[in-house]
Amino acid sequence: MASDESINIKNPTFVGVVCPKCGSTKYKVLGTGSLGASVGKQLLFGGVGNMVASSRSKNDFEIKPVKFKCEDCNEKYESLPNEAAKDEILDKPCKITFKRLSGLIGAAIRHQVFMNGIKVGTVKNGSEIEFETNTKSNVIFVTDPHGVAFNDQYEFAAESGGEEYIKFKKKFKR
């Protein structure tokens, strides 16, 4: 696999990501990190370790292979996002506002927000971030500071020049 510096995906999408075992396009996003590493660090360093990892979560755009679990055969695999086909690209970008609702549990931890496999930013408790998409089919997932995705993902079809407002509190609100 190429290093992060040589990966250049202008319009990322999960359209075309398929299970290598059965060919299914139905998947659950597991994140970009390892659950074992996340649990181990939590046990070893506790809440302070999570806060340190959270503080080191940059707001930079970042590409890493995404881990998936096939919903048909349960195969686990990883893939980088694909470059969107021309018919998948919007004429005008769609603006996305992502709001993390306030909560007491995990309040000090920043969550990482990914869209179509690209880290678009981090969000603190009770705050929001804005970003854009140029692709019609989109998948947003949120991870802990170690890259382990929370249980659900938000899938939507963006409209050219449109806006999408998303609320999140360890589960997406539509």
Side-chain angles (χ1 to χ4, degrees):
M1 179 176 297
S3 70
D4 286 349
E5 291 81 28
S6 66
I7 298 171
N8 186 14
I9 301 174
K10 202 170 171 183
N11 295 299
T13 184
F14 285 158
V15 172
V17 172
V18 298
C19 173
K21 183 176 178 185
C22 73
S24 174
T25 58
K26 294 189 288 186
Y27 53 80
K28 177 180 176 12
V29 175
L30 301 176
T32 59
S34 162
L35 180 59
S38 179
V39 170
K41 289 174 187 171
Q42 176 65 27
L43 291 173
L44 191 59
F45 301 111
V48 173
N50 262 341
M51 287 177 21
V52 169
S54 177
S55 70
R56 291 186 179 166
S57 292
K58 299 176 188 169
N59 261 339
D60 303 349
F61 289 89
E62 184 178 305
I63 297 178
K64 292 181 180 179
V66 177
K67 293 174 174 68
F68 298 93
K69 181 178 180 184
C70 178
E71 291 186 338
D72 288 334
C73 72
N74 290 324
E75 177 78 4
K76 291 182 182 176
Y77 59 99
E78 63 180 47
S79 175
L80 287 169
N82 294 318
E83 180 68 39
K86 284 189 177 186
D87 64 343
E88 179 69 14
I89 298 174
L90 301 170
D91 294 329
K92 295 179 183 174
C94 176
K95 178 183 163 187
I96 299 155
T97 303
F98 181 94
K99 170 80 173 170
R100 178 179 168 193
L101 301 174
S102 295
L104 187 58
I105 297 175
I109 308 299
R110 291 178 183 252
H111 292 169
Q112 300 179 88
V113 181
F114 289 80
M115 185 174 67
N116 300 332
I118 309 297
K119 181 179 167 188
V120 293
T122 59
V123 63
K124 296 188 290 187
N125 191 31
S127 65
E128 66 184 34
I129 58 173
E130 292 182 349
F131 48 95
E132 295 180 339
T133 184
N134 291 312
T135 57
K136 293 177 184 175
S137 299
N138 297 278
V139 177
I140 294 178
F141 63 95
V142 181
T143 72
D144 67 10
H146 308 291
V148 177
F150 294 111
N151 283 334
D152 63 346
Q153 60 211 29
Y154 183 76
E155 298 179 33
F156 69 100
E159 295 182 19
S160 185
E163 292 186 23
E164 189 77 14
Y165 188 77
I166 303 163
K167 297 176 186 173
F168 180 82
K169 187 174 183 177
K170 297 243 181 163
K171 206 162 172 75
F172 288 99
K173 310 241 188 240
R174 295 179 164 88

